[in-house]
Amino acid sequence: AQRVTQPEKLLSVFKGAPVELKCNYSYSGSPELFWYVQYSRQRLQLLLRHISRESIKGFTADLNKGETSFHLKKPFAQEEDSAMYYCALSGPYGGSQGNLIFGKGTKLSVKP
Amino acid sequence: KAGVTQTPRYLIKTRGQQVTLSCSPISGHRSVSWYQQTPGQGLQFLFEYFSETQRNKGNFPGRFSGRQFSNSRSEMNVSTLELGDSALYLCASSLTGTTGELFFGEGSRLTVL
């Protein structure tokens, strides 16, 4: 069955330190993976998706099919990065990505 | 553009009652998805509608149902409420539901007593 695992519930780093939020998935087929973020008192929103291969707010994520991972990285954390981060996998219904399978999230806390 | 709007934002019901939640997607978006968020299970997919048709359904009992209207607005209904149905119900819309970029509402927080 498709599943997304985020092993860390909470990750605390100091400002300027590198950040890596881990995400592992299980999926039979070619997965589509995403990172969503929820800042305090804001809505859940898309941060980035692996097919775009883009860097958003300094964050990047590389899909590693061999390790079935999609870790989110940023070389220098900022206080405004403090938020809840969710890794998500497109569901089993081909051609439709309105159904995402979410991990349980990692709360990132960046200390000054 | 106005964002995804969900009503009501908060509601309290008792076991056995039913509830209807409403979602107005971003103008022009035709896909609406519903998710249940709880501390224990996290975000779980309920169902997705596209052009008034249910396109996908998650692993929830038949007490959970939904529909979409011609203007893309969607409602979900939960009948015979149980304590375990207490959750934040999130609605998300997208243009076609094929890119994975979902725009979420603020949610409807349901408490079942």
Side-chain angles (χ1 to χ4, degrees), chain B residues 14-101:
Chain B
T14 55
R15 280 179 297 174
Q17 288 186 310
Q18 73 164 12
V19 66
T20 299
L21 308 177
S22 180
C23 172
S24 293
I26 291 172
S27 178
H29 285 193
R30 296 169 63 191
S31 168
V32 173
S33 301
W34 289 89
Y35 291 81
Q36 182 195 64
Q37 186 175 30
T38 59
Q41 299 299 317
L43 279 154
Q44 293 185 283
F45 170 72
L46 280 157
F47 26 64
E48 180 201 3
Y49 288 87
F50 181 80
S51 293
E52 302 179 67
T53 301
Q54 186 181 86
R55 187 154 65 176
N56 298 302
K57 189 177 191 306
N59 190 25
F60 278 81
R63 301 185 296 107
F64 291 81
S65 63
R67 58 178 175 169
Q68 185 180 35
F69 302 96
S70 58
N71 62 357
S72 293
R73 190 177 70 85
S74 177
E75 288 181 348
M76 66 163 283
N77 184 78
V78 188
S79 62
T80 320
L81 284 166
E82 301 177 358
L83 295 178
D85 297 333
S86 294
L88 181 67
Y89 290 88
L90 289 169
C91 169
S93 76
S94 68
L95 274 169
T96 61
T98 58
T99 67
E101 180 169 14

Side-chain angles (χ1 to χ4, degrees), chain A residues 36 43 93 96-98 100 104, chain B residues 4 33 35 40 48 56 97 100:
Chain A
Y36 274 77
R43 304 173 186 214
Y93 306 106
S96 167
Q97 293 177 356
L100 296 179
K104 293 197 176 180
Chain B
V4 176
S33 301
Y35 291 81
E48 180 201 3
N56 298 302

Side-chain angles (χ1 to χ4, degrees), chain A residues 1-40:
Chain A
Q2 288 84 356
R3 186 169 56 247
V4 176
T5 303
Q6 294 180 251
E8 302 138 330
K9 281 188 175 180
L10 173 66
L11 183 62
S12 185
V13 301
F14 286 102
K15 177 182 172 181
V19 171
E20 184 178 50
L21 297 162
K22 291 183 167 52
C23 172
N24 289 91
Y25 66 91
S26 62
Y27 186 82
S28 54
S30 296
E32 296 287 339
L33 284 142
F34 311 86
W35 277 99
Y36 274 77
V37 62
Q38 187 166 27
Y39 301 102
S40 179

Side-chain angles (χ1 to χ4, degrees), chain A residues 79-99:
Chain A
E79 289 180 68
E80 54 265 31
D81 296 328
S82 295
M84 195 74 181
Y85 291 81
Y86 295 92
C87 183
L89 170 69
S90 60
Y93 306 106
S96 167
Q97 293 177 356
N99 60 115

